[in-house]
Amino acid sequence: MGSLGSSPPADTFQLYDLRVEVICPPGERILCGAKEGDHFVLEGEMLHLPPGQAFSIYSLSAVLPLLAAKQRVTHPNDWMSTDAEVACPDPNCKSRLKILRTGVRTFSHAEVTGHDQSSVESALVAA
């Protein structure tokens, strides 16, 4: 992992690693089967759960649409940079999912897609 913003080679891009953790106000019941502190980690496109831990698909559905945006650099005043908590999708549950940026990972375009980068650059120059 490197520092975000340094000049990477032309073929590379950077994404934040994320940790998504269950949090809950003291004394409140969590209804999705999770426990306070249950989490998963997102590294690039790979989602990792700790051994023996499960995660509700309904809870996952609440954060999944936000994760790709949270992985990218955003303006410091953008809500995607400042807001980190997502409500449980069950309206009777007080738990939340906290999305934390934990590090930066650099990827090579050529290694993560079958698309030829030179054709994208040619199209941008022609436009």
Side-chain angles (χ1 to χ4, degrees), residues 1-37:
M1 286 187 261
S3 70
L4 200 57
S6 57
S7 295
D11 176 55
T12 63
F13 62 97
Q14 295 178 313
L15 297 175
Y16 285 103
D17 287 342
L18 304 176
R19 176 184 169 101
V20 178
E21 185 173 322
V22 177
I23 58 174
C24 192
E28 293 291 341
R29 195 171 129 214
I30 299 176
L31 301 175
C32 64
K35 298 181 298 296
E36 175 103 16

Side-chain angles (χ1 to χ4, degrees), residues 63-81:
V63 295
L64 197 57
L66 304 174
L67 297 180
K70 274 297 229 192
Q71 285 184 299
R72 282 153 175 81
V73 176
T74 50
H75 189 277
N77 294 330
D78 188 322
W79 72 270
M80 194 57 69
S81 297

Side-chain angles (χ1 to χ4, degrees), residues 44-99:
E45 65 185 38
M46 302 307 295
L47 189 146
H48 302 274
L49 289 169
Q53 183 188 293
F55 212 86
S56 162
I57 61 168
Y58 304 109
S59 296
L60 185 60
S61 72
V63 295
L64 197 57
L66 304 174
L67 297 180
K70 274 297 229 192
Q71 285 184 299
R72 282 153 175 81
V73 176
T74 50
H75 189 277
N77 294 330
D78 188 322
W79 72 270
M80 194 57 69
S81 297
T82 61
D83 298 11
E85 295 182 10
V86 178
C88 175
D90 184 330
N92 297 309
C93 184
K94 304 287 189 227
S95 71
R96 295 178 310 284
L97 300 167
K98 188 170 189 170
I99 306 170

